[in-house]
Amino acid sequence: GIIEQITKLTFGLILSLYLKQYGILYAVYGAFFGVLLSEIVCFFYMFLKFKRKNQTIKKSFINYRQIKDVFWGYFPLSLSGLVLPISACVDSFMVVNLLTFNGMQTQVSTSLFGIATGMIGPLINFPIALCGTLATAFLPTLTYKISKNEDVKQITGSTYLFVWFLSLPCTVGIIALAPNIINLFFPAIENIYT
């Protein structure tokens, strides 16, 4: 996870900055290509680490009942990951139309929606992504303890507590310091609050 994020950030920024001279579209392509490269680097890292330990997957290792249990256990988690993309899709249809319906010009409502999704959205989603990543990092330990029939209440409770104490200050801080954060990161749109 950490290697993937570091390579994604590094390759994405380098390629975006290099390809920016050819236009914004090429800079976006560079960022997407950085994500692809990070997945490739992560795959080879895990493959080499697996090979170094001389572990092989045997046919007897595959247990279809366990695969079914894992699928039905993680299927709800996968569905929960669709909530943000679906809500973003619904917002893209509704927000501009509702603002236009209430008397705002289409160009103004589109630009306000662009500011909300392109500038404000990443700031709001940063704590969510951070908490989600940290919670996901606990999954291997949780799976190991379940496979050994150990009690998982302590690690589950500590995970909830950790995510709660990380998300609560972020929420309060973003609400209380919203104008200052916007002025710091996006000074071009500071006139929204004036």
Side-chain angles (χ1 to χ4, degrees):
I2 295 174
I3 293 173
E4 179 187 358
Q5 298 301 324
I6 290 172
T7 53
K8 188 183 298 183
L9 179 68
T10 305
F11 286 133
L13 279 176
I14 290 172
L15 289 171
S16 292
L17 291 174
Y18 176 74
L19 294 174
K20 186 180 176 184
Q21 59 187 338
Y22 301 108
I24 296 294
L25 185 62
Y26 288 99
V28 172
Y29 288 155
F32 282 128
F33 193 67
V35 172
L36 174 67
L37 287 177
S38 72
E39 299 297 331
I40 292 171
V41 167
C42 190
F43 169 76
F44 280 113
Y45 171 77
M46 295 191 68
F47 179 77
L48 292 174
K49 188 173 181 182
F50 191 76
K51 274 298 243 189
R52 189 181 306 157
K53 291 184 177 180
N54 294 323
Q55 295 177 348
T56 56
I57 299 176
K58 298 178 181 177
K59 191 173 181 181
S60 61
F61 177 77
I62 299 173
N63 186 337
Y64 292 105
R65 184 173 180 272
Q66 288 179 344
I67 291 173
K68 182 180 175 184
D69 292 342
V70 168
F71 174 77
W72 287 113
Y74 285 103
F75 184 69
L77 296 174
S78 301
L79 285 179
S80 68
L82 294 174
V83 171
L84 285 176
I86 289 173
S87 64
C89 182
V90 171
D91 285 348
S92 68
F93 291 120
M94 290 185 61
V95 172
V96 175
N97 291 328
L98 287 174
L99 289 174
T100 306
F101 179 75
N102 286 321
M104 196 172 285
Q105 293 180 358
T106 306
Q107 185 177 3
V108 175
S109 59
T110 304
S111 65
L112 287 175
F113 180 69
I115 289 171
T117 55
M119 297 179 177
I120 311 301
L123 289 176
I124 294 172
N125 290 333
F126 176 73
I128 297 171
L130 186 61
C131 290
T133 303
L134 291 172
T136 305
F138 283 103
L139 280 177
T141 306
L142 191 65
T143 307
Y144 175 77
K145 286 188 176 286
I146 290 173
S147 68
K148 298 293 184 183
N149 292 325
E150 296 180 13
D151 189 25
V152 295
K153 289 181 180 178
Q154 182 181 1
I155 190 167
T156 307
S158 64
T159 303
Y160 282 130
L161 196 65
F162 187 72
V163 169
W164 177 256
F165 280 118
L166 184 68
S167 59
L168 187 64
C170 288
T171 303
V172 173
I174 286 176
I175 291 171
L177 302 172
N180 296 330
I181 292 171
I182 295 299
N183 292 339
L184 177 66
F185 289 108
F186 309 109
I189 59 168
E190 64 179 88
N191 57 354
I192 289 176
Y193 293 97
T194 59

